[in-house]
Amino acid sequence: MTEAPHRGFALATGEAAQPRERGRHRRRSPISRVTLEHGRRLTSFSLIGFAVFALGICFQALLVRLLHLPAVTAYVIQVVLSVQANFMANLRWTWSDRNAPFWRSCVRYNVKRAAGSLLSLALYPLLIKLGMNYLIANGVLVVLLTPANYILGHWWTFSA
């Protein structure tokens, strides 16, 4: 005869009684775990990134449309300015609680972003050659490189 379940244990039908998890039916996704651990930083990082990206896109469009610079040249100019603006804002707000030395962080940030920029500069002309709009190509590259940028920023660039 089977016994009724008691206090979160499985039925005693010859199988080993296993405690059941209460109030939790599935595991958290990796994204929700990261959000819980890094929520404030991710929010700050994302807001800064979005603001600098939006200003960079406007600046790039201005360079292309008003000054008639080629799209790739305008892209390079806006990337250089955006990288420095991102560094200063992230040092000031995202990782302000860390005692990361300014110049070491600045060098690391620029090394990290130089590597990402080289990758972007290799892919950007390819995306344009494939027919993608120059501003959309910029956005695609930002989305693709953002996770690596945050991870390296958190564990290397702004480490204490």
Side-chain angles (χ1 to χ4, degrees):
M1 175 180 239
T2 355
E3 296 177 18
H6 181 66
R7 294 187 185 205
F9 286 92
L11 295 177
T13 58
E15 57 186 77
Q18 299 279 331
R20 293 184 189 171
E21 283 189 51
R22 291 186 159 220
R24 194 166 172 193
H25 300 288
R26 57 186 175 161
R27 301 179 85 184
R28 285 195 173 111
S29 72
I31 292 173
S32 69
R33 283 194 310 256
V34 167
T35 302
L36 285 172
E37 293 174 25
H38 299 277
R40 185 193 69 77
R41 280 192 216 283
L42 278 170
T43 301
S44 175
F45 181 80
S46 298
L47 291 173
I48 290 166
F50 178 76
V52 172
F53 174 73
L55 291 171
I57 288 287
C58 293
F59 184 65
Q60 184 181 6
L62 176 82
L63 293 173
V64 169
R65 293 184 181 171
L66 295 180
L67 299 180
H68 306 291
L69 291 177
V72 174
T73 303
Y75 178 73
V76 171
I77 293 169
Q78 79 84 18
V79 162
V80 169
L81 294 175
S82 293
V83 165
Q84 299 317 307
N86 258 310
F87 167 72
M88 293 302 293
N90 279 303
L91 178 69
R92 172 70 177 97
W93 291 296
T94 306
W95 285 283
S96 62
D97 62 327
R98 300 236 174 127
N99 291 325
F102 177 85
W103 288 110
R104 188 197 70 189
S105 296
C106 184
V107 168
R108 286 182 175 186
Y109 192 85
N110 281 281
V111 165
K112 173 187 68 150
R113 291 302 301 261
S117 294
L118 288 175
L119 182 58
S120 291
L121 288 171
L123 295 173
Y124 185 77
L126 176 66
L127 294 176
I128 290 175
K129 193 171 190 166
L130 292 172
M132 189 176 286
N133 175 279
Y134 70 98
L135 297 176
I136 292 173
N138 189 342
V140 166
L141 291 173
V142 167
V143 168
L144 288 176
L145 296 175
T146 293
N149 190 22
Y150 177 82
I151 290 166
L152 287 170
H154 186 73
W155 281 285
W156 184 60
T157 304
F158 297 106
S159 63

